[in-house]
Amino acid sequence: MSENKNDKDADVKQNPKVKKVIKGNLPYTPAPGVFKKTLEGIITAGEPERFTNNFMDTVLGVSGGSSRYVPPLLKKMGFLTSDGVPTQLYTSFRTEGARSSAAFSGLKNAFGELFQRNEYIFKASENDVKDQIVAVTGLTKGDQYVNYIWSTFKVVRDFNAGNNSSEFRDEAGATAKESLEQQDYSARISHGSLGLINNINIVLPESTNINVYNLIFQSLRANLLG
């Protein structure tokens, strides 16, 4: 006999090692502060060969039951391989110049279901993001797991070590600008309003005979300008 939903929720509360399965595969942690501390530690700590519990505990100072949520989150973000080896995104996140783009990629990797529903979800308000989470998961808006997912999403979105939020907007704005420029270019071609300009440089021969120049300019008018 299969256990019902209430039995499963009771198991989750009684046994912290049991993680509730959320429809839509949206990641979460009930301790977003621990997750944020981990991301901050990744920036300043040396890059390990493998991201292990010992590394989190000893180097990052992250331990306890809540720390078990961190590796799966980093894997979902594409920061770690399935066996815990740091990826190029992990390395990029540690650098000041590439941190914002790496965080944005991690956000899209982890919350791809939300981006499929709204490609600008990273700019949405808390209320709108939670609405999308409800739509994906089927949970009620007041469910604690909706808040867990939102808080986890927010840690990455608002991670301000490299002013990520503004760069997310810049990336979206640049994409929109390129699209508008392409549309304008296509419209100008279709309406025949695209003009081309050719510059012609003419080297005149040295001569004291004015008739020579007259003949040259007459030929230009007849063959090029007429």
Side-chain angles (χ1 to χ4, degrees):
M1 179 182 297
S2 61
E3 55 185 348
N4 61 35
K5 179 179 182 296
N6 291 333
D7 291 336
K8 291 181 179 179
D9 288 345
D11 287 342
V12 172
K13 292 178 180 178
Q14 293 173 8
N15 184 358
K17 292 186 178 181
V18 177
K19 184 177 179 181
K20 181 172 181 176
V21 177
I22 303 295
K23 178 184 175 182
N25 199 29
L26 296 179
Y28 69 88
T29 172
V34 172
F35 181 40
K36 182 177 181 179
K37 181 180 179 181
T38 301
L39 291 177
E40 291 172 340
I42 286 174
I43 295 171
T44 56
E47 184 173 315
E49 291 186 6
R50 290 185 68 247
F51 194 92
T52 62
N53 290 333
N54 287 337
F55 175 75
M56 284 194 294
D57 187 3
T58 306
V59 180
L60 301 183
V62 176
S63 59
S66 298
S67 65
R68 68 187 179 88
Y69 288 88
V70 172
L73 281 171
L74 294 177
K75 291 175 183 179
K76 182 77 171 174
M77 291 171 63
F79 278 29
L80 299 176
T81 64
S82 59
D83 56 353
V85 177
T87 65
Q88 183 58 49
L89 272 183
Y90 183 108
T91 302
S92 297
F93 183 75
R94 297 183 62 245
T95 67
E96 186 173 344
R99 186 170 305 136
S100 294
S101 60
F104 186 57
S105 295
L107 190 72
K108 292 180 71 175
N109 290 338
F111 297 92
E113 294 83 354
L114 297 182
F115 278 87
Q116 287 178 9
R117 299 183 68 88
N118 180 357
E119 65 270 33
Y120 297 105
I121 193 68
F122 59 91
K123 297 179 65 176
S125 67
E126 175 180 348
N127 187 62
D128 289 342
V129 174
K130 286 185 175 180
D131 278 344
Q132 296 298 338
I133 293 173
V134 167
V136 171
T137 62
L139 300 171
T140 61
K141 201 164 187 177
D143 193 296
Q144 64 177 343
Y145 287 94
V146 171
N147 193 57
Y148 289 163
I149 296 169
W150 152 251
S151 298
T152 305
F153 178 91
K154 187 175 185 297
V155 166
V156 183
R157 185 186 74 169
D158 295 344
F159 199 81
N160 60 10
N163 294 320
N164 297 346
S165 296
S166 63
E167 295 207 17
F168 291 165
R169 291 192 294 270
D170 290 346
E171 179 172 329
T175 301
K177 182 180 179 182
E178 290 175 1
S179 177
L180 288 173
E181 289 177 347
Q182 180 62 38
Q183 291 175 15
D184 179 64
Y185 176 79
S186 300
R188 289 166 61 193
I189 289 181
S190 64
H191 287 85
S193 60
L194 182 64
L196 299 176
I197 299 175
N198 289 322
N199 294 320
I200 301 175
N201 295 320
I202 299 174
V203 179
L204 297 175
E206 295 185 4
S207 175
T208 57
N209 187 348
I210 191 65
N211 290 327
V212 172
Y213 298 117
N214 288 336
L215 290 173
I216 291 174
F217 289 116
Q218 286 176 6
S219 177
L220 286 173
R221 280 195 296 269
N223 295 285
L224 295 179
L225 305 178

